[in-house]
Amino acid sequence: MFLEKMLQSQGFGARKHCQQLIKNGAVQIHGETKTNPKEKVNLQDLSFHVYGEEFLYREKVYIALNKPKGYECSHQATHHFSVFELFDDVLYQRGIQCVGRLDQDTTGLLLLTDDGQFLQALTHPKKHVAKVYQMYTADPVTDAQISQLEQGVELRNETGSFAATDVQRLAENHLQMTIHQGVYHQVKRMLAAVGNKVDQLHRYQIGALALPELEEGEWIYLTAEQIEQAKYRDVFK
Ligand code: URA
């Protein structure tokens, strides 16, 4: 691949801008400054420097973020921060998207990617992977509420019934459950439908991928194994 095209694919801006970076002597590969934008580069295990900062070539990026409260999953956040503010410009310019959405006040595992097929595989209505949520509730969770959640509840303006699996009471007001769809405010609406209320919501797992050990606001690139784990349609523990 031409050097200028490689830089463009990694989020360094438009082709013209990448050409300029190269001509300015800002780009080095294996310690050698590259000045020809049309030089062919081997992408295999490629690492390169731009203005002294090291980057690894990645065909696509797959990111796990521990989403903090007060961040929206939209690009033009109006009342809160945007989760995209947690990433640098180079990553942002690759066009990363959230894989599904979390509410601004929900914390936990949020995946982001620039791989449209991966995004589709995880969010297509017919293929929704399992997602595990933990929540603190306003009132103690009763046995009746747990069995209603397992049997399925109706949600206004949605067709069909919404059931949770693997519903576990972790403490009086602390519940864990797995859902298999992803409609708007689904967990909060399911809890409201059984007469309780979610006070604090946290996504703990997607498919077989549990939230890695990250501080709120921290993120990592997923390994090939973690990418596969996130695609499992059932939860493996
Ligand atoms: N269900 C909700 O109600 N909110 C979320 O953020 C995710 C699932």
Side-chain angles (χ1 to χ4, degrees), residues 67 73 101-107 131 133 177 179 181-191 198 201-203:
K67 181 192 164 299
C73 287
R101 285 177 169 239
L102 290 179
D103 298 334
Q104 66 79 19
D105 55 355
T106 301
T107 57
K131 284 158 297 236
Y133 287 90
M177 70 187 204
I179 61 169
Q181 307 98 333
V183 300
Y184 183 65
H185 288 337
Q186 183 171 333
V187 174
K188 291 174 186 167
R189 289 162 73 196
M190 286 175 74
L191 265 289
V198 173
L201 185 58
H202 179 77
R203 183 155 65 193

Side-chain angles (χ1 to χ4, degrees), residues 38-205:
K38 297 277 189 251
E39 179 171 334
K40 282 212 163 168
V41 288
N42 180 357
L43 304 177
Q44 185 80 36
D45 298 326
L46 174 66
S47 81
F48 57 97
H49 286 77
V50 178
Y51 287 123
E53 188 178 343
E54 186 177 18
F55 296 89
L56 287 185
Y57 173 82
R58 294 174 198 271
E59 191 181 347
K60 298 284 176 201
V61 288
Y62 307 86
I63 290 166
L65 166 73
N66 184 1
K67 181 192 164 299
K69 265 190 187 180
Y71 283 77
E72 289 179 17
C73 287
S74 54
H75 285 272
Q76 258 93 45
T78 40
H79 296 102
H80 305 94
F81 298 113
S82 158
V83 289
F84 296 101
E85 291 171 41
L86 296 165
F87 301 95
D88 63 34
D89 284 352
V90 173
L91 209 39
Y92 181 72
Q93 287 190 72
R94 289 185 67 127
I96 51 172
Q97 309 268 355
C98 296
V99 180
R101 285 177 169 239
L102 290 179
D103 298 334
Q104 66 79 19
D105 55 355
T106 301
T107 57
L109 180 58
L110 179 68
L111 302 181
L112 297 101
T113 187
D114 58 354
D115 179 347
Q117 280 184 351
F118 177 76
L119 194 139
Q120 182 79 357
L122 267 78
T123 57
H124 189 280
K126 292 210 174 106
K127 294 190 224 158
H128 262 296
V129 298
K131 284 158 297 236
V132 184
Y133 287 90
Q134 292 177 345
M135 70 216 73
Y136 287 97
T137 54
D139 299 311
V141 182
T142 64
D143 291 344
Q145 288 172 353
I146 291 178
S147 64
Q148 271 180 287
L149 289 167
E150 285 174 336
Q151 277 159 25
V153 295
E154 290 186 0
L155 302 178
R156 193 131 59 104
N157 298 329
E158 310 287 354
T159 45
S161 149
F162 293 81
T165 55
D166 200 19
V167 185
Q168 293 176 41
R169 192 168 27 217
L170 305 174
E172 251 200 345
N173 290 56
H174 196 193
L175 189 71
Q176 173 172 308
M177 70 187 204
T178 301
I179 61 169
H180 302 263
Q181 307 98 333
V183 300
Y184 183 65
H185 288 337
Q186 183 171 333
V187 174
K188 291 174 186 167
R189 289 162 73 196
M190 286 175 74
L191 265 289
V194 301
N196 209 323
K197 180 174 176 290
V198 173
D199 272 350
Q200 214 179 305
L201 185 58
H202 179 77
R203 183 155 65 193
Y204 171 71
Q205 188 165 329

